[in-house]
Amino acid sequence: MSVDVRSAAPRAGVLPFAAISLCYFGFAGLFGTYAPLWYQSLGYSTFAIGALTSMQSATRLFAPYAWGWSADHSGRREPLLRLAIGGALVASLGFFFVRDYAWIAVVCLALTLCTAGVVPISEAVLAHHVSGSEGQVDIARYGRVRLWGSVGFIAAVTATGFALEAAGVERFPLICTGVLAILLFAAFRLPPSHDQAHAGPAVSGALAVLREPVVAWFFTGTFLTVLAHTSLYAFYSLYLSSLGYGKGAIGLLWSVGVTIEVAWFAFQGRWLKWLPVHGWLVLAAAISALRFAAIAAFADLVAVLIVAQLLHALTFAAQHSSCIAVISRHFPGRLRSRGQALYTVLGYGASGVLGGVAGGALSERFGFAAVFWAASVVSLLAVLSCWRALVLDRARP
């Protein structure tokens, strides 16, 4: 399957999406990186932190699809996006009150229920804006918009790391609320857009598309690849902290990975055509197995950690863009938000629940390195699933 690399939308038309990407992934980066450290400062055990992280991911088992379904059926994607972000902003204020575990769990539940709608809706609208006349995503234009999410991630993670080092981790809630307020302002700058119903067999329903063998194997591979990456998102900061790395150093290591991610997104239009998109998914899963094994075995060596972070260009950036291309092909028109939602639910929701709970249990019994060894094994299973999707895709007319 090829991807469209032609310019499909004027620059001015996608600038608001770049702002959304910048702000949202900035929030996601600082929350994913430093929330576990904040939870730890509140006195929670490693297992409790893992359970809290997985509880947040549990909302992605249903909330993204509910948001996506509402957006597709109403056609009012931008107002729904603003509602989701506004709800997250209000929920974040709860971090300033009671700090016991039950209250924090409720606040996180409300926060993630709202933020679960941001990606499926904003990605669906962006895909509509950067698609060519035949409905294929202009992957070069998509990458140049999506890279701003990586820039936001870099800026937020690096700045927050040094800010928390200087002012204390207790300032974490204040930073979260501030970034969400900026994100809401950016959401009000989005232009209105409406997807027309797609004429063709795809309108039979998103779940009918999901039952197609090539789509089912694609989502299986995506689930396993992201499950392996849960070790990174939930336990990487804790692992490095346990080895004596400071918060600033942890932030810089995260930034290394996202810097190379930016470079990939900026130039992926000339690279992704080297392989079919399913081929990139196979490669990303294979490199993930090597990356996590290296982190498990050599986390005390800074040089190895830097190389492992550079591999993020393939294990995340190339993998993500390839997923967007596959989803846009199988879920066009008024199925677009639901296709993106299924990507979030099956890729990041179910994997986050399993990865958070299993990773917490593994780390308490065998140490953090065991979590990354397990991630390497899961990545090998992802290789098999992605290879099967590749074979089935080649057999399609």
Side-chain angles (χ1 to χ4, degrees):
M1 181 178 67
S2 62
V3 291
D4 190 352
V5 296
R6 295 172 300 167
S7 179
R11 180 182 298 271
V14 295
L15 284 178
F17 297 100
I20 289 288
S21 190
L22 176 79
C23 297
Y24 174 77
F25 287 102
F27 171 78
L30 71 90
F31 197 87
T33 304
Y34 299 109
L37 299 179
W38 184 61
Y39 300 149
Q40 190 178 58
S41 75
L42 298 179
Y44 305 155
S45 68
T46 302
F47 183 78
I49 293 171
L52 188 59
T53 303
S54 66
M55 183 212 67
Q56 297 170 37
S57 299
T59 62
R60 286 171 169 79
L61 293 174
F62 61 91
Y65 196 82
W67 284 106
W69 185 93
S70 299
D72 281 345
H73 281 269
S74 69
R76 296 176 57 81
R77 289 172 176 156
E78 291 78 13
L80 280 173
L81 180 62
R82 293 165 193 143
L83 177 63
I85 298 170
L89 176 60
V90 172
S92 71
L93 298 176
F95 286 139
F96 294 96
F97 298 101
V98 184
R99 297 291 177 86
D100 66 80
Y101 187 81
W103 174 257
I104 294 299
V106 170
V107 171
C108 288
L109 178 63
L111 180 66
T112 54
L113 280 172
C114 292
T115 56
V118 176
V119 170
I121 298 175
S122 62
E123 288 280 329
V125 179
L126 174 59
H128 170 70
H129 275 272
V130 299
S131 291
S133 58
E134 296 181 356
Q136 289 183 314
V137 170
D138 177 350
I139 207 68
R141 177 58 61 87
Y142 174 83
R144 289 194 292 272
V145 173
R146 179 57 179 80
L147 70 84
W148 287 102
S150 303
V151 171
F153 190 106
I154 292 172
V157 169
T158 304
T160 301
F162 287 110
L164 296 181
E165 194 83 60
V169 74
E170 64 271 12
R171 303 297 183 190
F172 171 77
L174 181 62
I175 298 173
C176 286
T177 299
V179 173
L180 285 171
I182 299 171
L183 176 61
L184 182 59
F185 175 79
F188 276 97
R189 308 300 297 175
L190 284 178
S193 64
H194 299 278
D195 243 337
Q196 298 299 317
H198 180 76
V203 296
S204 59
L207 298 182
V209 177
L210 183 60
R211 288 192 291 269
E212 296 179 14
V214 64
V215 178
W217 279 107
F218 158 72
F219 276 117
T220 300
T222 299
F223 166 79
L224 292 171
T225 302
V226 179
L227 174 62
H229 279 71
T230 303
S231 62
L232 198 70
Y233 305 140
F235 300 102
Y236 187 68
S237 296
L238 294 173
Y239 184 24
L240 297 187
S241 181
S242 72
L243 295 175
Y245 292 90
K247 296 181 181 64
I250 294 172
L252 286 174
L253 281 168
W254 276 100
S255 296
V256 168
V258 187
T259 299
I260 195 67
E261 176 186 316
V262 169
W264 179 272
F265 282 134
F267 299 103
Q268 67 179 10
R270 67 184 68 175
W271 295 332
L272 283 178
K273 58 188 176 183
W274 292 353
L275 292 173
V277 287
H278 288 284
W280 281 109
L281 295 175
V282 173
L283 180 62
I287 296 299
S288 295
L290 295 175
R291 180 187 186 186
F292 296 129
I295 293 173
F298 304 109
D300 56 329
L301 301 177
V302 175
V304 172
L305 290 179
I306 292 174
V307 172
Q309 290 299 87
L310 290 173
L311 294 177
H312 200 64
L314 293 174
T315 68
F316 170 73
Q319 192 265 354
H320 174 72
S321 292
S322 298
C323 286
I324 294 299
V326 173
I327 290 167
S328 294
R329 176 186 179 184
H330 292 285
F331 298 90
R334 293 296 288 271
L335 291 177
R336 210 181 289 275
S337 294
R338 279 167 285 177
Q340 293 292 338
L342 285 172
Y343 176 45
T344 302
V345 169
L346 300 177
Y348 288 86
S351 62
V353 173
L354 179 58
V357 173
L362 275 175
S363 64
E364 287 212 332
R365 185 171 180 83
F366 301 107
F368 288 112
V371 177
F372 290 88
W373 283 120
S376 182
V377 173
V378 170
S379 296
L380 293 176
L381 297 177
V383 172
L384 299 177
S385 298
C386 294
W387 178 261
R388 180 59 179 161
L390 172 64
V391 171
L392 290 170
D393 187 66
R394 286 175 171 171
R396 291 168 63 90

